[in-house]
Amino acid sequence: MHSAARASRGEAIGLGARIFPSKMSPQLIVCLTGFALLVCCVASEVKLSGFVALAALIAFTLYAINEQREFLFIYTALLFAVFANIAGCAVAEYFPIYLSEIRIDSSFAGSLPSLVFARWFFLAALFCFGCRGLPKVEEACWGKGWIERLITVGVFLALVAMFLVTIRNPPSFLVGMDRFAYASAYQGAPIQRMLTNAMPYLTFLIVAATRWGMKPIGWLGVVMWGVVLIWTGTKFGGFFNLACAFLVVYSDRLARMGKHAVRKFSIILGILLAALVAFSAVMYGSYGAASGSDFLFARTAQQGQIWWATYEKTDGLLHLDRVESELLGTIKDGGTIAANVGSGHGIYGMMYLNAPTDLIDGKLRQGSRYTEGGYAAAYYSGGVLGALSFSLLMAGAFFLVIRRLRIALWRGKAVEIIILARFFIILQTTLSMGTFADLIDPLSLASYAYLAFAWLTDRGVAPEVSLRSRLLWRSDAC
């Protein structure tokens, strides 16, 4: 009896599986959820519609994790971004609060259902793309080539150098500085800044080494990077990126756990995320005048304030003329935040739309920008259809990058792991900010050329594998 229950495809894992009967096809569930959210959008002026939409999104997410167990592990960073954005919008909608970054008091505007619909479409697209499956990771393929080992050692030595340079300075928690102030005071060297910017994706290779081939180097590198993050005042982002790297690298092994183990792991993951958020609040409280709770409440609202304000200003009108401005802005992007003073594309355009110009000018000149403006920019240009198109584009890009990253891990290709991990980090920024310039900069263009050359000419590909299979990126072609 227990064996038959375990074999059942529709066996319930949590609330999502109980809401959606096992006999219903995934396609039908996607359609029903989409229809329910569309109804909520039509009735967006009713306050209850936002809660119904959020409940439908949560139920669908749980169902997706139940059907594709790796969904939770490989897309943790994206799930966090989705629900943080929605939580911020909900705070602005249902809790009157002064939004200091855009200098306005929040109130109910009916923006939540449309945001939930657009964000659900993103997750639904990832779910549907995942129905074809992701390539399996084979441990035996890792670390056999001397080039891969040499590159891994090189990354490790760069991390050692960064570690030694960092700990020679006093830690941020002793000098009372946050990450930005500390970087300005102690991390001014160009090489150090370059390594700091590169480490979020270089650490993917270090994490991979913890599992395959070079475990001592891998684990020592992880510990040193953790010390660097604490030393320099990182409160959340760096630790979260490191955790997501572990989840991607170990996703296939985690997905093979039994349903009860997955439930326990999900709870542990949630506790760890809550602990990271709490740690961030405590650290902020030690630096600033506001309390940790006030920081969390304000910071949550900031995750959705741009969407909320843009939705209210747009009032259902389309601005298709901005599409050309978005494309030109991507090409003419200043390259740095400070160089984009006056820019009108992506997050920059939405900041200027929703806040006083002098405030935004000063913010950008300091090298800082707001968060979660990608969907707002898409909605302002093309309405709900624009936001849905943005969701589909980003979901396709993430799925392809994750698929190729899995294959690179499977085959132990160090250069490809670094390149694809970089694209994974860049796409997270693109999803949040609506800025595409990093995807077409010289380094990215060179990366595309390298990946194309590697995939089409790799000597490890069997002769009988067709060129068409390689172009279609089939896992059996690698």
Side-chain angles (χ1 to χ4, degrees):
M1 178 177 179
H2 293 291
S3 177
R6 285 194 299 269
S8 173
R9 177 179 175 84
E11 189 174 11
I13 299 181
L15 178 62
R18 290 196 295 271
I19 292 177
F20 297 115
S22 59
K23 294 182 180 180
M24 296 176 66
S25 67
Q27 295 83 356
L28 180 59
I29 289 174
V30 169
C31 292
L32 289 176
T33 307
F35 178 75
L37 292 175
L38 188 59
V39 171
C40 291
C41 291
V42 173
S44 61
E45 294 183 0
V46 179
K47 288 188 175 182
L48 183 62
S49 63
F51 295 102
V52 174
L54 182 56
L57 175 65
I58 293 173
F60 176 82
T61 304
L62 294 174
Y63 170 78
I65 294 171
N66 176 57
E67 288 294 300
Q68 298 175 16
R69 200 165 293 177
E70 287 187 341
F71 194 91
L72 170 64
F73 306 120
I74 61 178
Y75 296 133
T76 295
L78 307 183
L79 290 170
F80 182 84
V82 166
F83 283 99
N85 185 204
I86 290 172
C89 181
V91 168
E93 284 282 342
Y94 297 106
F95 299 91
I97 182 176
Y98 179 69
L99 303 172
S100 59
E101 289 191 335
I102 57 178
R103 294 181 179 174
I104 193 173
D105 292 305
S106 71
S107 61
F108 180 78
S111 66
L112 185 59
S114 296
L115 178 60
V116 172
F117 186 34
R119 286 294 198 170
W120 164 82
F121 196 77
F122 172 70
L123 296 181
L126 287 174
F127 174 74
C128 292
F129 291 147
C131 289
R132 64 174 292 190
L134 287 165
K136 302 301 179 184
V137 177
E138 300 293 341
E139 298 186 24
C141 296
W142 173 263
K144 290 185 175 180
W146 66 270
I147 295 179
E148 278 67 33
R149 288 179 175 270
L150 183 62
I151 293 173
T152 304
V153 171
V155 172
F156 174 75
L157 292 177
L159 181 54
V160 170
M162 186 175 180
F163 173 80
L164 294 176
V165 170
T166 299
I167 63 172
R168 72 179 183 179
N169 299 314
S172 60
F173 50 83
L174 290 184
V175 296
M177 294 181 178
D178 62 14
R179 176 168 60 93
F180 302 103
Y182 190 87
S184 177
Y186 296 103
Q187 295 179 304
I191 295 179
Q192 191 173 6
R193 289 201 305 267
M194 182 183 68
L195 285 176
T196 300
N197 294 333
M199 275 302 159
Y201 54 87
L202 291 178
T203 49
F204 266 82
L205 191 60
I206 296 297
V207 171
T210 67
R211 179 174 177 182
W212 297 299
M214 309 176 75
K215 294 183 180 181
I217 282 181
W219 286 113
L220 182 57
V222 168
V223 171
M224 287 193 301
W225 180 234
V227 172
V228 169
L229 291 175
I230 296 174
W231 206 272
T232 57
T234 300
K235 298 183 289 293
F236 179 80
F239 296 103
F240 183 66
N241 287 334
L242 184 61
C244 290
F246 268 99
L247 291 174
V248 171
V249 170
Y250 286 87
S251 58
D252 63 306
R253 182 180 292 180
L254 294 170
R256 289 198 296 266
M257 297 187 303
K259 65 172 185 177
H260 296 295
V262 171
R263 286 179 181 174
K264 292 179 181 179
F265 184 87
S266 301
I267 293 173
I268 293 173
L269 181 61
I271 293 174
L272 289 175
L273 287 176
L276 281 175
V277 173
F279 174 74
S280 174
V282 171
M283 292 293 289
Y284 181 87
S286 66
Y287 298 139
S291 66
S293 59
D294 290 339
F295 163 75
L296 277 180
F297 200 70
R299 190 70 181 90
T300 300
Q302 290 169 9
Q303 300 298 310
Q305 64 184 1
I306 297 295
W307 170 273
W308 171 83
T310 302
Y311 182 92
E312 192 172 36
K313 281 185 172 62
T314 302
D315 196 25
L317 298 178
L318 303 182
H319 301 83
L320 297 177
D321 56 308
R322 284 188 56 86
V323 175
E324 182 179 359
S325 300
E326 292 287 342
L327 296 175
L328 291 176
T330 296
I331 297 173
K332 298 179 180 179
D333 186 276
T336 64
I337 295 176
N340 275 292
V341 174
S343 295
H345 65 288
I347 183 65
Y348 307 111
M350 295 303 99
M351 289 172 67
Y352 280 112
L353 174 68
N354 294 297
T357 300
D358 59 335
L359 175 64
I360 302 306
D361 285 345
K363 188 80 172 177
L364 296 178
R365 288 194 181 99
Q366 294 173 2
S368 179
R369 60 188 174 187
Y370 298 161
T371 187
E372 292 300 345
Y375 275 89
Y379 180 79
Y380 189 72
S381 299
V384 173
L385 184 59
L388 296 182
S389 300
F390 182 68
S391 289
L392 184 60
L393 174 65
M394 295 307 301
F398 272 110
F399 178 76
L400 293 178
V401 167
I402 286 291
R403 181 175 177 80
R404 292 312 309 179
L405 179 57
R406 293 272 303 221
I407 293 174
L409 289 167
W410 172 22
R411 301 172 61 214
K413 296 298 183 180
V415 176
E416 293 182 24
I417 290 172
I418 293 173
I419 290 174
L420 292 162
R422 176 178 178 268
F423 281 137
F424 182 57
I425 299 296
I426 288 175
L427 285 174
Q428 291 181 52
T429 302
T430 301
L431 181 68
S432 174
M433 303 295 182
T435 53
F436 295 84
D438 288 340
L439 293 171
I440 59 172
D441 66 9
L443 182 56
S444 293
L445 295 177
S447 298
Y448 298 138
Y450 177 88
L451 292 175
F453 180 79
W455 294 337
L456 295 177
T457 64
D458 198 312
R459 292 175 298 175
V461 178
E464 63 271 14
V465 176
S466 67
L467 178 63
R468 178 177 177 274
S469 295
R470 297 184 217 174
L471 290 174
L472 290 176
W473 296 356
R474 284 171 46 186
S475 59
D476 57 1
C478 300

